[in-house]
């Protein structure tokens, strides 16, 4: 089943994000290689594709896991958690409808 993982950033998280980003992306690339990643990306803090110094306010990942417990464990092990980027992570089941 698909799960939406939404992480909310601490204020001024950009430096922590950049430090932990390679490890964070490696985990996403592993999910993609397994065919389990639907989408992933950050929420810019301003209305721009490149928010520069404004940074980001969080992230959204939609990926496939066997169950909610597995999705939660994966989310809790994210390098952004260890680096103090996320203040909170929400994991919810997600039903993909479109595109088909």
């Amino acid at each position: 089943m698909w799960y939406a993982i939404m992480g909310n950033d601490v204020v001024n998280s950009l430096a922590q994000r950049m430090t932990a980003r390679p490890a964070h992306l490696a985990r996403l690339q592993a999910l993609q290689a397994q065919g389990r990643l639907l989408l992933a990306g950050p929420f810019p803090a301003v209305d721009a594709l490149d928010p520069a110094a404004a940074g980001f306010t969080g992230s959204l990942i939609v990926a496939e896991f066997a169950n909610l417990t597995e999705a939660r464990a994966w989310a809790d092990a994210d390098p952004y958690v260890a680096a103090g980027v996320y203040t909170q992570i929400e994991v919810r089941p997600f039903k993909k409808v479109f595109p088909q």
Side-chain angles (χ1 to χ4, degrees):
M1 178 167 194
W2 295 108
Y3 292 88
I5 300 168
M6 293 158 285
N8 296 316
D9 283 22
V10 298
V11 176
N12 298 320
S13 63
L14 190 56
Q16 292 131 294
R17 270 184 169 267
M18 298 320 300
T19 299
R21 190 169 190 263
H24 173 77
L25 293 180
R27 294 179 83 233
L28 292 172
Q29 290 165 341
L31 284 178
Q32 184 177 27
Q34 297 165 9
R36 297 173 45 206
L37 182 64
L38 183 62
L39 63 90
F43 299 117
V46 295
D47 190 11
L49 289 177
D50 181 2
F56 302 93
T57 61
S59 301
L60 171 64
I61 299 164
V62 179
E64 188 175 32
F65 295 94
N67 54 54
L68 183 58
T69 301
E70 183 183 308
R72 168 53 76 180
W74 188 91
D76 288 343
D78 194 290
Y80 281 175
V81 172
V85 173
Y86 292 151
T87 60
Q88 175 187 9
I89 298 176
E90 183 177 359
V91 181
R92 297 169 50 178
F94 179 81
K95 181 178 177 182
K96 180 180 179 274
V97 176
F98 289 103
Q100 296 179 337

